[in-house]
Amino acid sequence: MASLTRTPAWRELVAHRRSWEQRSLRELFAADPQRFQRFSLEACGLLLDHSKNLIVAETLDLLLALADERGLQNQIRDLLAGKRVNTTEKRAAWHSALRAGADAPREVRNTLTAMRKLATALRDNKTGDGGNRAITDVVSLGIGGSVWGPALAAAACAPDTVAPRVHFITTPGESLDRLLGTLDAATTLFIVQSKSFSTHETLLNAQAARAWLQASGIADHGPHFAAVTAQSATAAAFGVPSERIFPMWDWVGGRYSLWSAVGLPAMIAMGADAFDELLAGAADMDMHFATAAPGKNMPVLLALIGLWHANFFNMASRAVIPYQPGLELLPVWLQQLEMESLGKSVSRRGKPLRQDSGPVLWGSAGTEGQHAYFQLLHQGTRPVPVDFISSCSPRSKSSLGGPSAGARDAEQAHAVMLSNCFAQSALLMHGVSAAETEQALLQQGLSAREAARLAPHQALPGNRPSNTLLLPVLDARSLGALLALYEHRCFVQSAIWDINAFDQWGVEHGKRLAGSLLPEFTSTVPSAAHDSSTDGLVNYSKQHNRRT
Ligand code: F6P
């Protein structure tokens, strides 16, 4: 693939970028009352409003020409057909096959059947130890892609599930100890979630769980363990009964694995039918991605607009801000998806990139964020493109599974949330000029001198881009579509930037170095094998460790 920045389409975009020195979103909206209709799109039940981005029709035409020049349609076809798009590991990235329903590979369908069998039995209180006491608590032990997808899906679709309760533990030590202190070993099932079955944190937690069962007088651990992994033999050696080992495959990337058996804890929390809905929502988005014309293709448009802001406006970070209870974990899930996929500096052929790749992604629940970091979003010197995500109606009582406030209260709370969500994106776009601010201050009765003094501090520059994504309601199907949308957005950017979105070599060195540092914490010999800072930190922390 030609070097991106040397392509004709890229050069056209560079020229077009210059025209944005004179443009403002405020003027574009004033000049075109149809701007929202022109730059919004519905697909798979979702609405994308991309009208508040630094785009005009010509911008999208040029970006679509770039996508065409990069052979995007063929790349999408290869991805969805299960071709080896993971060029460094020579593997497919065929997460779409996991939600292909009847067309899914046999091993996928068989695994879903086995997942459904266990999840239904657990929800029907039909499994337990030899004494047949029902399992009351399921503890998922996993990290990264082996936790964020199912934790997000469970929080979004079944936050109040009680039979059985589903817990997610990532970090060894305190959090597991604290949880185990509240559980009954006889009615607890651990699911060890690890594609590699070698992730240190997860294995430490699994060993701690086994020791806890032992200490609780449970000799036969088998009924209290299940595993989700691509390393079945290792899981069996750990002591997980073979009928409780759910396979993963090397063609499923960890951060794309919610749809596989990694989703088992979510299926237990939300029920097998709801999990099927999650898969169906994602399959809807796969079909849209595969068939919609690029200019009407939601993942393609989101990706290209994101690339435009990142590469042509040097916006080094982007924020994803859900105004939606149940989506608090979305930014965490997306951080891994995008930063582990797009945090690359060489092309698929190993050549250094000539332009930036993935921006830093951050975010949190909007209602809280607006009382924390929105100050910078509105008045900081570095514009940050934002994705606002919400829904048109509050979650139904039935989908929540627990007692909830009255319908009118829920509607009221939802309207408050939507009004804040829409107000923030409007102000980021529109801004409030110093003159308007001064006028307002005068109308509040301030003196001309005081108004002039305060106006620059209170004015909002505006012209700050954002997308708004609206779900009809947050449920399993809309969540499936939303997450698949972001997976495909991520792929499109990797395709244009010519990077491999499906490997993560950069995380391996840290694991190895941490492994070599660990024994030094129990050694009586001062650390002296590293740089002076690392040695210094190891020795200082050992000297100041109050427990030893
Ligand atoms: O260290 C990063 C990573 O390999 C992620 O890509 C992955 O999702 C996570 O660790 C957990 O890996 P595993 O499922 O093999 O335990």
Side-chain angles (χ1 to χ4, degrees), residues 220-244:
D220 178 12
H221 308 148
H224 297 277
F225 272 105
V228 175
T229 186
Q231 305 302 328
S232 301
T234 322
F238 178 87
V240 182
S242 56
E243 71 279 8
R244 286 276 184 86

Side-chain angles (χ1 to χ4, degrees), residues 80-210:
L80 298 176
K83 295 274 177 67
R84 290 186 175 186
V85 293
N86 177 349
T87 45
T88 57
E89 296 175 301
K90 297 193 169 70
R91 296 173 183 166
W94 209 18
H95 34 282
S96 59
L98 299 167
R99 55 234 189 182
D103 301 330
R106 179 185 299 279
E107 68 261 39
V108 170
R109 286 179 277 130
N110 293 347
T111 304
L112 275 169
T113 305
M115 289 164 66
R116 171 183 281 275
K117 189 162 165 260
L118 177 61
T120 307
L122 284 167
R123 293 170 60 84
D124 298 348
N125 295 335
K126 291 220 174 55
T127 62
D129 65 5
N132 287 328
R133 286 180 55 202
I135 293 291
T136 57
D137 293 90
V138 172
V139 182
S140 160
L141 305 174
I143 205 159
S146 292
V147 67
W148 296 128
L152 169 58
C157 302
D160 304 320
T161 291
V162 288
R165 285 176 290 271
V166 179
H167 314 268
F168 295 90
I169 295 289
T170 57
T171 309
E174 277 187 32
S175 51
L176 181 61
D177 296 346
R178 203 174 306 121
L179 176 64
L180 296 181
T182 68
L183 302 182
D184 177 347
T187 61
T188 298
L189 172 71
F190 295 98
I191 307 181
V192 184
Q193 308 242 115
S194 181
K195 180 179 175 184
S196 62
F197 216 87
S198 68
T199 300
H200 196 213
E201 295 90 343
T202 301
L203 293 185
L204 280 177
N205 279 330
Q207 287 149 8
R210 190 168 54 187

Side-chain angles (χ1 to χ4, degrees), residues 105-450:
R106 179 185 299 279
E107 68 261 39
V108 170
R109 286 179 277 130
N110 293 347
T111 304
L112 275 169
T113 305
M115 289 164 66
R116 171 183 281 275
K117 189 162 165 260
L118 177 61
T120 307
L122 284 167
R123 293 170 60 84
D124 298 348
N125 295 335
K126 291 220 174 55
T127 62
D129 65 5
N132 287 328
R133 286 180 55 202
I135 293 291
T136 57
D137 293 90
V138 172
V139 182
S140 160
L141 305 174
I143 205 159
S146 292
V147 67
W148 296 128
L152 169 58
C157 302
D160 304 320
T161 291
V162 288
R165 285 176 290 271
V166 179
H167 314 268
F168 295 90
I169 295 289
T170 57
T171 309
E174 277 187 32
S175 51
L176 181 61
D177 296 346
R178 203 174 306 121
L179 176 64
L180 296 181
T182 68
L183 302 182
D184 177 347
T187 61
T188 298
L189 172 71
F190 295 98
I191 307 181
V192 184
Q193 308 242 115
S194 181
K195 180 179 175 184
S196 62
F197 216 87
S198 68
T199 300
H200 196 213
E201 295 90 343
T202 301
L203 293 185
L204 280 177
N205 279 330
Q207 287 149 8
R210 190 168 54 187
W212 176 70
L213 290 169
Q214 188 83 28
S216 310
I218 296 189
D220 178 12
H221 308 148
H224 297 277
F225 272 105
V228 175
T229 186
Q231 305 302 328
S232 301
T234 322
F238 178 87
V240 182
S242 56
E243 71 279 8
R244 286 276 184 86
I245 299 176
F246 297 85
M248 278 181 77
W249 305 279
D250 69 3
W251 46 266
V252 179
R255 52 192 176 273
Y256 299 88
S257 66
L258 162 59
W259 328 98
S260 72
V262 164
L264 178 59
M267 184 192 272
I268 295 167
M270 59 206 279
D273 294 346
F275 193 80
D276 285 347
E277 277 293 292
L278 182 81
L279 297 177
D284 292 345
M285 188 54 75
D286 295 339
M287 180 57 73
H288 168 74
F289 187 44
T291 57
K296 291 289 175 208
N297 193 309
M298 205 180 271
V300 172
L301 286 176
L302 266 183
L304 293 176
I305 292 169
L307 181 150
W308 169 239
H309 292 138
N311 288 130
F312 292 87
F313 290 81
N314 301 321
M315 293 180 183
S317 85
R318 80 187 203 91
V320 172
I321 302 180
Y323 276 81
Q324 177 63 53
L327 288 185
E328 292 80 1
L329 284 176
L330 180 67
V332 178
W333 178 82
L334 269 172
Q335 265 186 338
Q336 184 192 8
L337 176 75
E338 291 196 13
M339 293 166 73
E340 211 172 65
S341 298
L342 303 174
K344 313 283 163 67
S345 46
V346 296
S347 71
R348 283 177 277 205
R349 288 176 179 278
K351 298 269 180 297
L353 299 180
R354 292 168 175 276
Q355 86 298 320
D356 280 325
S357 55
V360 172
L361 187 145
W362 56 282
S364 69
T367 316
E368 289 145 10
Q370 70 185 53
H371 300 282
Y373 49 77
F374 271 56
Q375 168 59 38
L376 179 142
L377 291 180
H378 283 293
Q379 291 189 318
T381 54
R382 291 190 183 86
V384 177
V386 177
D387 283 4
F388 292 100
I389 297 154
S390 193
S391 61
C392 303
S393 36
R395 293 187 284 182
S396 63
K397 259 200 279 196
S398 59
S399 76
L400 292 179
S404 155
R408 212 183 21 254
D409 297 349
E411 284 296 340
Q412 171 62 11
H414 200 74
V416 168
M417 206 171 53
L418 280 177
S419 59
N420 278 287
C421 179
F422 300 160
Q424 296 298 338
S425 64
L427 276 171
L428 284 171
M429 176 277 285
H430 199 273
V432 182
S433 70
E436 287 166 335
T437 307
E438 197 166 337
Q439 206 44 46
L441 291 169
L442 290 171
Q443 276 157 12
Q444 286 166 25
L446 266 69
S447 69
R449 184 185 164 86
E450 200 47 12

Side-chain angles (χ1 to χ4, degrees), residues 468-507:
T468 298
L469 276 161
L470 282 183
L471 286 57
V473 62
L474 175 59
D475 59 16
R477 195 160 189 126
S478 62
L479 181 71
L482 178 71
L483 302 187
L485 167 65
Y486 276 118
E487 288 178 343
H488 295 325
R489 175 194 188 281
C490 193
F491 176 72
V492 171
Q493 291 194 333
S494 73
I496 308 273
W497 285 325
D498 185 22
I499 58 178
N500 180 4
F502 302 110
D503 62 12
Q504 59 284 325
W505 300 107
V507 299

